[in-house]
């Protein structure tokens, strides 16, 4: 398992007077002229503890510091990016790494600090100080197409991840990642996908816009990229707690959407149509669904050819399976308890290649095991084909500060 760089960052940053959340002891910048001279858009450093004297500045990543190597005593980051400060030249990961939050106004500075900085990198997200912007995702090709969890049509489960900078990443299942679009995905507060909604045989993405409550459909292109969006909900979708692309529940061969109403706890089915829109909703849960804080659509878990639903009960951490029936959900069965140590679920079909749908989960701060403590670890659960899952396998801890689906 890969060493947790997040913990390492938090530990070594204190040696420089920094933390992953900002500066230790940071406050309003004193009146010294040198500190005030750090220009907007730059990272600045001084050889003194109080930010006086000759100033170093850069607005780009620097692999070596020349005469400034191992001399930083005070630092200020007036960029809109995270400043990663490395003990090693070339942004090496063998030594310590300090992280300084963006502070374009120049109201915070750090010092006194260590004099061990040998390179500087400016990045959009904190995680990029020590790893890729996207997490590690590996999957095995399934024996047949699953109908969902596969944006590029190669029968291998793939994942989409939104980072804190609002960029969307596509991970094909081979450890690689590529950008989807130009960014701006932070304006959405719900993201979901499960199969083809437009009828072209390619998996699509649904997103809810925070400010307007509008629901947008982003058609898949079959390559991992997304086409021009289409409005499928003119507004009012902010009244829903959970929005989950489910697969075909209505029995017409088209993918549907489930949503829980905040005020009533009712569960609604929105059937897919032949035009890629959503039809008139149907009540399939009379109330009480607000006790669930996570819904996941893993596809068929029992081998009966019908998509099923997973729901986590907030107060108990129990995970329940609701079998899909034509236009309805059947009597639930208990999958297991203790699932409140997971921050989110990832249901992207058969990722181990055995022909059965699986489940992955990303840990939260409450998670503790012999291999990992805290958030950001990916745990995979192999489906048994009976509505249950095998024991969890912790794969990697590169999944922090992301929204994944």
């Amino acid at each position: 398992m890969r060493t947790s760089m997040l913990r390492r960052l938090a530990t070594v940053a204190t040696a420089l007077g920094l933390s992953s959340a900002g500066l230790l002891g940071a406050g309003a910048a004193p009146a010294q002229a040198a500190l005030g001279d750090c220009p907007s858009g730059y990272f600045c450093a001084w050889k003194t503890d109080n930010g006086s004297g000759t100033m170093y500045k850069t607005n780009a990543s620097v692999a070596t510091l020349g005469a400034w190597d191992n001399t930083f005593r005070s630092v200020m980051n007036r960029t809109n990016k995270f400043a990663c400060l490395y003990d090693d030249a070339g942004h090496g990961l063998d030594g310590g790494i300090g992280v300084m939050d963006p502070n374009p106004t120049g109201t915070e500075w750090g010092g006194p600090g260590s004099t061990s900085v040998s390179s500087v990198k400016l990045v959009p997200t904190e995680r990029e100080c020590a790893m890729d912007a996207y997490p590690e995702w590996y999957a095995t090709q399934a024996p047949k197409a699953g109908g969902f969890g596969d944006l590029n049509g190669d029968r291998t489960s793939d994942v989409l991840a939104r980072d804190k900078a609002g960029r969307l990443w596509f991970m094909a299942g081979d450890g690689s990642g590529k950008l989807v679009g130009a960014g701006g995905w932070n304006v959405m507060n719900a993201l979901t996908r499960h199969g083809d909604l437009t009828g072209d045989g390619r998996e699509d993405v649904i997103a809810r816009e925070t400010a307007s409550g509008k629901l947008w459909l982003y058609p898949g292109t079959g390559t991992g990229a997304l086409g021009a969006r289409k409005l499928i909900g003119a507004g009012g979708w902010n009244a829903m707690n959970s929005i989950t692309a489910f697969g075909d529940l209505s029995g017409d061969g088209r993918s549907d959407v489930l949503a829980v109403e905040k005020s009533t706890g009712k569960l609604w089915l929105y059937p897919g149509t032949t035009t890629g829109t959503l039809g008139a909703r149907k009540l399939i849960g009379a109330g009480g669904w607000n006790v669930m804080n996570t819904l996941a659509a893993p596809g068929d878990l029992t081998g009966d050819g019908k998509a099923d639903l997973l729901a986590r009960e907030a107060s108990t951490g129990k995970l329940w399976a609701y079998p899909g029936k034509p236009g309805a959900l059947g009597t639930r069965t208990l999958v297991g308890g203790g699932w409140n140590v997971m921050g989110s679920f990832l249901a992207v079909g058969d990722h181990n290649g055995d022909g059965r749908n699986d489940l992955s989960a990303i840990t939260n701060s409450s998670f503790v095991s012999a291999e990992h403590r805290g958030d950001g670890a990916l745990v995979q659960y192999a489906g048994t084909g009976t509505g249950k899952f095998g024991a969890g396998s912790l794969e990697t801890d590169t999944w922090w500060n992301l929204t994944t689906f």
Side-chain angles (χ1 to χ4, degrees):
M1 192 186 79
R2 186 168 178 171
T3 302
S4 173
M5 295 306 298
L6 174 61
R7 278 68 188 170
R8 188 169 177 226
L9 281 170
T11 300
V12 302
T14 57
L16 188 64
L18 309 175
S19 74
S20 59
L23 291 173
L24 298 180
Q32 288 101 331
L35 282 168
D37 286 344
C38 183
S40 176
Y42 280 79
F43 168 82
C44 302
W46 296 264
K47 297 179 181 179
T48 60
D49 290 344
N50 62 357
S52 61
T54 305
M55 180 179 71
Y56 172 88
K57 66 177 183 178
T58 182
N59 62 358
S61 298
V62 182
T64 58
L65 295 177
W68 283 86
D69 187 45
N70 294 329
T71 63
F72 290 179
R73 295 292 299 178
S74 301
V75 288
M76 178 181 286
N77 181 19
R78 294 200 63 188
T79 76
N80 60 1
K81 296 183 177 181
F82 288 87
C84 319
L85 312 179
Y86 299 85
D87 287 356
D88 297 336
H91 314 131
L93 302 180
D94 291 334
I97 308 171
V99 184
M100 191 172 189
D101 285 2
N103 182 232
T105 59
T107 58
E108 295 182 341
W109 65 287
S114 166
T115 55
S116 62
V117 179
S118 293
S119 58
V120 177
K121 184 162 66 172
L122 303 177
V123 294
T125 63
E126 180 185 355
R127 58 178 289 120
E128 291 171 85
C129 289
M131 61 186 71
D132 290 323
Y134 52 87
E136 296 175 358
W137 173 253
Y138 292 94
T140 302
Q141 190 176 61
K144 62 179 181 179
F148 73 103
D150 184 11
L151 281 164
N152 62 358
D154 63 356
R155 302 204 322 270
T156 303
S157 294
D158 46 47
V159 174
L160 290 172
R162 180 182 63 186
D163 66 23
K164 289 294 186 180
R167 298 171 298 180
L168 193 64
W169 297 90
F170 169 72
M171 287 85 69
D174 59 1
S176 67
K178 68 177 182 180
L179 273 175
V180 179
W185 288 88
N186 276 346
V187 301
M188 305 296 180
N189 62 5
L191 298 164
T192 185
R193 64 177 177 128
H194 189 111
D196 174 29
L197 288 159
T198 61
D200 62 1
R202 305 184 183 105
E203 187 170 33
D204 308 309
V205 169
I206 291 175
R208 179 179 62 189
E209 193 170 18
T210 305
S212 66
K214 292 178 178 178
L215 200 65
W216 295 93
L217 170 69
Y218 292 81
T221 63
T223 64
L226 300 173
R229 70 182 187 178
K230 172 184 178 181
L231 186 65
I232 60 172
W237 283 86
N238 278 339
M240 299 299 174
N241 243 349
S242 301
I243 299 173
T244 305
F246 179 80
D248 180 23
L249 184 62
S250 59
D252 60 4
R254 294 186 287 270
S255 291
D256 307 316
V257 172
L258 301 182
V260 177
E261 196 168 17
K262 291 180 184 178
S263 61
T264 65
K266 292 178 178 179
L267 182 65
W268 295 94
L269 165 67
Y270 293 81
T273 70
T274 56
T275 60
T277 58
L278 298 175
R281 70 182 186 178
K282 173 187 175 183
L283 184 65
I284 61 171
W289 282 85
N290 276 342
V291 303
M292 306 295 180
N293 61 6
T294 300
L295 300 182
D300 177 18
L301 293 176
T302 61
D304 64 357
K306 299 180 178 64
D308 304 311
L309 180 69
L310 294 173
R312 180 179 61 186
E313 195 170 15
S315 62
T316 64
K318 291 179 179 178
L319 188 65
W320 297 93
Y322 292 80
K325 305 291 182 183
L329 296 173
T331 303
R332 70 182 187 179
T333 59
L334 182 64
V335 175
W339 289 85
N340 272 344
V341 299
M342 299 300 173
S344 60
F345 293 93
L346 192 58
V348 289
D350 175 19
H351 56 63
N352 63 7
D354 66 356
R356 295 186 288 266
N357 288 329
D358 308 310
L359 179 68
S360 294
I362 295 94
T363 63
N364 62 27
S365 59
S366 300
F367 181 85
V368 177
S369 76
E371 299 171 288
H372 181 84
R373 178 186 295 269
D375 62 351
L378 176 73
V379 183
Q380 294 185 330
Y381 300 86
T384 63
T386 63
K388 302 288 186 179
F389 299 98
S393 172
L394 198 151
E395 299 298 318
T396 172
D397 63 354
T398 61
W399 290 72
W400 48 281
N401 279 355
L402 298 165
T403 300
T404 55
F405 61 107

